[in-house]
Amino acid sequence: MAAAGATMLRGGAFKPRTSPYTFQGLGVAALEILREAREETGLPIVTELMDPRHVDEVVETADVIQIGARNSQNFLLLSEVGRAAKPVLLKRGLSTSVEGAADGAEYVAKEGNDRIILCERGIKTFETSTRFTLDLGAVAVLKQETHLPVIVDPSHAAGRRDLVLPLARAAAAVGADGIIVETHPQPEEALSDGPQQIPTSEFAEVAAEVGAIVRLMGKEIG
Protein backbone atom coordinates (compact mmCIF):
# COMPACT_ATOMS: atom_id res chain seq x y z
CA MET A 1 0.00 0.00 0.00
CA ALA A 2 2.88 2.33 0.71
CA ALA A 3 4.22 1.62 -2.77
CA ALA A 4 0.82 2.51 -4.22
CA GLY A 5 0.83 5.92 -2.54
CA ALA A 6 -0.51 5.46 1.01
CA THR A 7 1.16 7.85 3.45
CA MET A 8 -0.49 6.70 6.70
CA LEU A 9 -2.19 3.58 8.03
CA ARG A 10 -5.39 3.99 10.03
CA GLY A 11 -6.73 1.22 12.25
CA GLY A 12 -9.36 1.36 14.94
CA ALA A 13 -8.44 -0.19 18.28
CA PHE A 14 -11.65 1.31 19.66
CA LYS A 15 -14.73 1.29 17.41
CA PRO A 16 -17.72 3.51 18.30
CA ARG A 17 -20.80 1.69 17.07
CA THR A 18 -24.48 2.61 17.13
CA SER A 19 -25.49 -0.82 18.39
CA PRO A 20 -23.86 -2.15 21.57
CA TYR A 21 -24.03 -5.67 20.09
CA THR A 22 -21.78 -5.04 17.10
CA PHE A 23 -18.00 -5.32 16.98
CA GLN A 24 -16.44 -2.64 19.18
CA GLY A 25 -12.79 -3.22 18.33
CA LEU A 26 -10.17 -5.10 20.33
CA GLY A 27 -9.43 -2.18 22.65
CA VAL A 28 -6.06 -1.66 24.27
CA ALA A 29 -4.84 -5.06 23.02
CA ALA A 30 -5.15 -3.81 19.43
CA LEU A 31 -2.62 -1.04 20.05
CA GLU A 32 0.17 -3.63 20.03
CA ILE A 33 -1.09 -4.87 16.65
CA LEU A 34 -0.95 -1.31 15.34
CA ARG A 35 2.62 -0.93 16.59
CA GLU A 36 3.55 -4.11 14.73
CA ALA A 37 1.84 -2.80 11.59
CA ARG A 38 3.92 0.38 11.75
CA GLU A 39 7.10 -1.66 12.02
CA GLU A 40 6.14 -3.88 9.08
CA THR A 41 4.91 -1.15 6.74
CA GLY A 42 6.98 1.85 7.79
CA LEU A 43 3.80 3.93 7.72
CA PRO A 44 2.72 6.27 10.54
CA ILE A 45 -0.29 5.04 12.51
CA VAL A 46 -3.61 6.85 12.97
CA THR A 47 -6.05 5.51 15.56
CA GLU A 48 -9.15 6.83 17.29
CA LEU A 49 -9.31 7.97 20.90
CA MET A 50 -12.76 7.67 22.44
CA ASP A 51 -12.17 7.86 26.19
CA PRO A 52 -9.92 10.19 28.22
CA ARG A 53 -8.92 7.14 30.31
CA HIS A 54 -7.03 5.77 27.27
CA VAL A 55 -5.09 8.93 26.44
CA ASP A 56 -1.72 7.65 27.65
CA GLU A 57 -1.96 4.32 25.80
CA VAL A 58 -3.11 5.90 22.54
CA VAL A 59 -0.54 8.70 22.68
CA GLU A 60 2.19 6.12 23.21
CA THR A 61 1.11 4.16 20.11
CA ALA A 62 -0.34 6.60 17.60
CA ASP A 63 1.50 9.01 15.36
CA VAL A 64 -1.81 10.82 14.81
CA ILE A 65 -4.77 10.76 17.22
CA GLN A 66 -8.19 10.63 15.60
CA ILE A 67 -11.26 12.16 17.21
CA GLY A 68 -14.25 10.62 15.49
CA ALA A 69 -17.48 12.21 14.37
CA ARG A 70 -19.42 11.15 17.46
CA ASN A 71 -16.87 12.85 19.71
CA SER A 72 -16.36 15.97 17.61
CA GLN A 73 -18.05 18.05 20.31
CA ASN A 74 -16.80 16.10 23.31
CA PHE A 75 -15.03 19.17 24.65
CA LEU A 76 -13.32 17.37 27.52
CA LEU A 77 -11.78 14.88 25.09
CA LEU A 78 -10.78 17.66 22.67
CA SER A 79 -9.04 19.48 25.49
CA GLU A 80 -7.21 16.29 26.49
CA VAL A 81 -5.74 15.78 23.02
CA GLY A 82 -4.95 19.48 22.93
CA ARG A 83 -2.48 18.77 25.74
CA ALA A 84 -1.01 15.74 23.96
CA ALA A 85 2.17 15.97 21.95
CA LYS A 86 0.69 14.35 18.85
CA PRO A 87 -1.13 15.67 15.75
CA VAL A 88 -4.92 15.38 15.89
CA LEU A 89 -7.24 14.25 13.08
CA LEU A 90 -10.62 15.82 13.88
CA LYS A 91 -13.63 14.48 12.03
CA ARG A 92 -16.68 16.68 11.47
CA GLY A 93 -19.74 15.56 13.41
CA LEU A 94 -22.75 13.97 11.74
CA SER A 95 -24.87 17.08 12.35
CA THR A 96 -22.16 19.66 12.97
CA SER A 97 -22.00 22.89 11.00
CA VAL A 98 -18.82 24.05 9.32
CA GLU A 99 -18.48 26.69 12.03
CA GLY A 100 -18.93 24.00 14.68
CA ALA A 101 -16.18 21.90 13.10
CA ALA A 102 -13.81 24.87 13.23
CA ASP A 103 -14.81 25.54 16.86
CA GLY A 104 -13.91 21.95 17.72
CA ALA A 105 -10.44 22.57 16.37
CA GLU A 106 -10.20 25.65 18.59
CA TYR A 107 -10.76 23.48 21.68
CA VAL A 108 -7.67 21.51 20.69
CA ALA A 109 -5.61 24.55 19.74
CA LYS A 110 -6.35 26.52 22.90
CA GLU A 111 -4.54 23.84 24.93
CA GLY A 112 -1.39 24.39 22.88
CA ASN A 113 -1.69 21.78 20.13
CA ASP A 114 -1.94 23.45 16.72
CA ARG A 115 -1.16 20.31 14.70
CA ILE A 116 -4.76 19.70 13.63
CA ILE A 117 -6.17 18.06 10.51
CA LEU A 118 -9.86 18.56 9.75
CA CYS A 119 -11.82 15.76 8.09
CA GLU A 120 -15.09 15.98 6.14
CA ARG A 121 -16.78 12.56 6.33
CA GLY A 122 -20.35 13.36 5.36
CA ILE A 123 -23.31 14.71 7.33
CA LYS A 124 -26.83 13.51 8.07
CA THR A 125 -29.47 14.81 5.64
CA PHE A 126 -32.80 13.53 4.33
CA GLU A 127 -30.99 11.69 1.52
CA THR A 128 -30.90 7.88 1.81
CA SER A 129 -29.04 6.80 -1.34
CA THR A 130 -25.74 7.15 0.49
CA ARG A 131 -24.86 6.53 4.12
CA PHE A 132 -24.17 10.25 4.64
CA THR A 133 -24.11 13.29 2.37
CA LEU A 134 -20.56 14.29 1.50
CA ASP A 135 -20.37 18.06 1.88
CA LEU A 136 -17.59 19.07 -0.50
CA GLY A 137 -18.64 22.70 -0.12
CA ALA A 138 -17.44 22.46 3.47
CA VAL A 139 -13.99 21.49 2.24
CA ALA A 140 -13.78 24.64 0.13
CA VAL A 141 -15.05 26.84 2.98
CA LEU A 142 -12.66 25.37 5.55
CA LYS A 143 -9.75 25.74 3.14
CA GLN A 144 -10.60 29.44 2.75
CA GLU A 145 -11.49 30.27 6.33
CA THR A 146 -8.90 28.26 8.30
CA HIS A 147 -5.18 27.63 7.93
CA LEU A 148 -5.63 23.91 8.65
CA PRO A 149 -5.27 20.99 6.25
CA VAL A 150 -8.61 19.43 5.27
CA ILE A 151 -9.01 15.82 4.22
CA VAL A 152 -12.01 13.79 3.06
CA ASP A 153 -13.33 10.34 3.99
CA PRO A 154 -15.36 9.12 1.00
CA SER A 155 -15.74 5.62 2.47
CA HIS A 156 -17.88 6.68 5.44
CA ALA A 157 -19.80 9.19 3.36
CA ALA A 158 -20.74 6.70 0.66
CA GLY A 159 -21.33 3.58 2.72
CA ARG A 160 -20.89 1.78 -0.62
CA ARG A 161 -17.59 0.77 -2.17
CA ASP A 162 -18.78 1.54 -5.72
CA LEU A 163 -19.03 5.25 -4.85
CA VAL A 164 -15.70 5.59 -3.05
CA LEU A 165 -13.65 6.31 -6.18
CA PRO A 166 -16.04 8.93 -7.67
CA LEU A 167 -16.20 10.77 -4.34
CA ALA A 168 -12.43 10.52 -3.92
CA ARG A 169 -11.98 12.09 -7.35
CA ALA A 170 -14.35 14.90 -6.41
CA ALA A 171 -12.50 15.48 -3.13
CA ALA A 172 -9.21 15.83 -4.98
CA ALA A 173 -10.78 18.22 -7.47
CA VAL A 174 -12.20 20.49 -4.76
CA GLY A 175 -8.77 20.85 -3.19
CA ALA A 176 -8.69 18.36 -0.30
CA ASP A 177 -5.27 17.84 1.24
CA GLY A 178 -5.75 14.12 1.69
CA ILE A 179 -8.18 11.23 1.42
CA ILE A 180 -9.00 8.36 3.79
CA VAL A 181 -9.98 5.17 1.99
CA GLU A 182 -11.03 2.03 3.85
CA THR A 183 -9.68 -1.24 2.47
CA HIS A 184 -9.82 -4.90 3.43
CA PRO A 185 -8.33 -8.00 1.77
CA GLN A 186 -11.82 -9.56 1.79
CA PRO A 187 -14.44 -6.89 2.58
CA GLU A 188 -17.25 -9.43 2.81
CA GLU A 189 -15.49 -10.89 5.87
CA ALA A 190 -14.88 -7.55 7.62
CA LEU A 191 -16.18 -7.31 11.18
CA SER A 192 -17.44 -3.77 10.57
CA ASP A 193 -18.27 -1.51 7.62
CA GLY A 194 -17.59 -4.17 4.99
CA PRO A 195 -19.91 -2.65 2.33
CA GLN A 196 -17.90 0.58 2.19
CA GLN A 197 -14.46 -1.02 2.03
CA ILE A 198 -12.68 -1.51 -1.28
CA PRO A 199 -10.61 -4.68 -1.74
CA THR A 200 -6.99 -4.02 -0.87
CA SER A 201 -6.06 -5.25 -4.34
CA GLU A 202 -7.91 -2.25 -5.83
CA PHE A 203 -6.25 0.42 -3.70
CA ALA A 204 -3.44 1.09 -6.19
CA GLU A 205 -5.99 1.84 -8.92
CA VAL A 206 -7.87 4.27 -6.69
CA ALA A 207 -4.65 5.99 -5.65
CA ALA A 208 -3.54 6.28 -9.28
CA GLU A 209 -6.80 7.86 -10.44
CA VAL A 210 -6.85 10.35 -7.58
CA GLY A 211 -3.18 11.10 -8.20
CA ALA A 212 -3.91 11.89 -11.84
CA ILE A 213 -6.41 14.56 -10.81
CA VAL A 214 -3.97 15.98 -8.28
CA ARG A 215 -1.24 16.24 -10.91
CA LEU A 216 -3.66 17.92 -13.27
CA MET A 217 -4.27 20.54 -10.61
CA GLY A 218 -0.58 20.86 -9.81
CA LYS A 219 -1.13 19.94 -6.15
CA GLU A 220 0.08 17.32 -3.70
CA ILE A 221 -2.28 15.10 -1.75
CA GLY A 222 -1.85 12.32 0.84
Side-chain angles (χ1 to χ4, degrees), residues 62-86:
D63 298 287
V64 178
I65 302 170
Q66 175 182 310
I67 299 298
R70 290 174 175 82
N71 277 312
S72 65
Q73 292 186 304
N74 182 336
F75 304 126
L76 174 61
L77 191 60
L78 294 175
S79 295
E80 284 289 338
V81 297
R83 292 187 283 271
K86 291 291 176 71

Side-chain angles (χ1 to χ4, degrees), residues 62-196:
D63 298 287
V64 178
I65 302 170
Q66 175 182 310
I67 299 298
R70 290 174 175 82
N71 277 312
S72 65
Q73 292 186 304
N74 182 336
F75 304 126
L76 174 61
L77 191 60
L78 294 175
S79 295
E80 284 289 338
V81 297
R83 292 187 283 271
K86 291 291 176 71
V88 176
L89 169 60
L90 178 58
K91 286 198 164 189
R92 182 183 177 188
L94 285 66
S95 301
T96 304
S97 67
V98 174
E99 181 180 8
D103 285 343
E106 290 293 337
Y107 269 90
V108 178
K110 75 179 179 63
E111 298 298 332
N113 189 348
D114 61 358
R115 295 185 293 171
I116 304 165
I117 305 163
L118 298 176
C119 180
E120 165 59 37
R121 45 82 72 209
I123 56 175
K124 274 289 188 184
T125 69
F126 59 83
E127 184 53 63
T128 58
S129 61
T130 53
R131 186 176 181 183
F132 299 100
T133 298
L134 186 60
D135 184 5
L136 292 176
V139 178
V141 172
L142 289 168
K143 291 288 291 180
Q144 286 188 5
E145 297 188 358
T146 77
H147 65 285
L148 302 174
V150 183
I151 66 174
V152 171
D153 180 350
S155 299
H156 268 94
R160 299 164 40 181
R161 69 178 60 92
D162 61 318
L163 295 181
V164 169
L165 179 54
L167 294 181
R169 291 194 199 106
V174 83
D177 296 293
I179 293 170
I180 297 175
V181 176
E182 292 194 7
T183 74
H184 193 287
Q186 296 178 300
E188 64 279 0
E189 296 182 6
L191 294 176
S192 66
D193 295 337
Q196 68 196 35

Side-chain angles (χ1 to χ4, degrees), residues 27-48:
V28 173
L31 296 175
E32 177 58 32
I33 298 173
L34 292 176
R35 286 191 286 268
E36 293 174 1
R38 176 172 49 210
E39 292 178 5
E40 289 187 18
T41 65
L43 294 173
I45 294 296
V46 184
T47 197
E48 182 167 354

